[in-house]
Amino acid sequence: MEQFKRQLIVDTAMRIFREKGYFSASMQDIAEACSMAKASIYKVFSSKEDLFTGVFVEVHRILFEEARELDRRLRLEGLPPKEVLRQKIEFQLQYMLENYFFTSEFKELPITSNENFLIEWRKKRASLLTLHQDCFYETYGEPILPYLGDVVAIFRGMVKEYLSHTFQAVIAAPMANLAGFIVDRLDVVIGDLIASKAQPVLKASSAFFNEINPPDDQTRQDNLDDLLKFFADKIRELPRPEPIQNELLEVIEWLKLELGQRKPNGTLLRVYINFLDSVSELAPYVRQLSLVLKRSSVE
């Protein structure tokens, strides 16, 4: 009975939030639509934020459940891998468009600062990333593994932009057509990445970190090490005399050693960075390094 009551409240709140928006929808509105006293709602959900979080979780529970069911059905049909991918993307596009308020538009709401909501948002994002990585791996197999992070980042960027334009009625392409367009474009990109053996930019594991899920200390250190290795490679390519190259490489080593300290010396870091910045060809990369250090609260 309690589960039925909770489900009724969530389903009703989902409809009210869609119709009135987050700010205009009140707990009283939802209680009346459920034919319940407002106090009964508060016994299940302590606040509007808590209730919205419950609706958010339910929307994505249905998404993943229906995605699993679609996956089972497509496996039985024996369709070509790219058609399977197209149908999975079409389903996701259609579902996210129909539930846009809870899959995209919520990012404009103050709910995103609620700690309980943030926990569920992080879980949802990680589950979606895993779903997307699985979709592309199942289609392209082992050759795509080095590029999963980059491919999924490109895919998610495309989905975000096209869904936003579709929701605002800027474009009117059926989701089936849009899914086919995305798959065809990504097929070209993926084919080129594999054929050219390009150097990946984003690791598949790094894709799980963002502003709501900051990387841990080890991941930050690994990323800094990768960036400094890139610096060293760029220095070796510079049209400069070998002694100057060696001096710059030595600064990179000092920088790396200092960053490996438990409490790096900010003054030393700035001295090393300013020295690297004096080389015009390195200036764009120095700015990026400074930004990374600032974001990591190291500098």
Side-chain angles (χ1 to χ4, degrees), residues 19-165:
E19 291 174 356
K20 294 193 170 187
Y22 180 80
F23 293 105
S24 296
S26 68
M27 295 293 267
Q28 183 63 43
D29 293 330
I30 294 165
E32 290 176 0
C34 290
S35 299
M36 293 180 187
K38 187 163 67 170
S40 297
I41 304 288
Y42 278 115
K43 286 180 181 178
V44 183
F45 296 98
S46 61
S47 64
K48 187 163 78 168
E49 291 85 357
D50 190 26
L51 178 50
F52 186 91
T53 301
V55 173
F56 177 85
V57 170
E58 176 66 6
V59 166
H60 288 90
R61 182 194 67 78
I62 295 170
L63 168 63
F64 295 124
E65 184 178 285
E66 292 187 1
R68 286 191 293 270
E69 182 57 39
L70 175 64
D71 183 62
R72 285 191 289 268
R73 179 172 62 78
L74 292 174
R75 287 178 187 275
L76 292 174
E77 292 181 7
L79 298 170
K82 286 174 190 171
E83 174 57 20
V84 171
L85 179 63
R86 189 201 65 75
Q87 289 201 30
K88 287 182 177 181
I89 291 176
E90 179 188 351
F91 158 72
Q92 291 176 41
L93 289 170
Q94 189 65 46
Y95 187 89
M96 293 178 76
L97 181 62
E98 292 172 359
N99 295 277
Y100 194 78
F101 186 80
F102 303 106
T103 59
S104 296
E105 202 171 9
F106 72 88
K107 294 172 185 176
E108 304 298 322
L109 301 176
I111 186 70
T112 55
S113 62
N114 179 277
E115 187 55 39
N116 290 333
F117 181 82
L118 278 172
I119 291 170
E120 296 302 333
W121 188 8
R122 292 185 190 110
K123 291 179 185 175
K124 182 275 300 182
R125 186 177 184 277
S127 296
L128 268 178
L129 276 167
T130 301
L131 174 65
H132 295 155
Q133 290 182 0
D134 288 347
C135 284
F136 286 99
Y137 178 71
E138 288 167 4
T139 304
Y140 292 93
E142 295 293 323
I144 201 178
L145 273 178
Y147 308 110
L148 266 180
D150 292 317
V151 169
V152 170
I154 295 168
F155 166 70
R156 288 167 65 87
M158 294 173 75
V159 167
K160 177 184 175 182
E161 289 301 316
Y162 283 124
L163 277 179
S164 174
H165 290 311

Side-chain angles (χ1 to χ4, degrees), residues 164-227:
S164 174
H165 290 311
T166 303
F167 185 74
Q168 297 172 46
V170 177
I171 58 176
M175 293 300 98
N177 292 7
L178 180 55
F181 177 86
I182 290 174
V183 169
D184 288 345
R185 302 292 75 75
L186 284 177
D187 188 53
V188 174
V189 171
I190 293 166
D192 178 69
L193 287 171
I194 294 171
S196 66
K197 298 182 180 178
Q199 184 67 30
V201 173
L202 182 65
K203 297 176 184 175
S205 58
S206 297
F208 288 86
F209 299 109
N210 71 338
E211 66 279 4
I212 64 166
N213 187 32
D216 53 37
D217 291 342
Q218 186 58 54
T219 300
R220 287 194 184 96
Q221 188 61 52
D222 290 345
N223 289 338
L224 279 171
D225 288 345
D226 287 345
L227 186 54

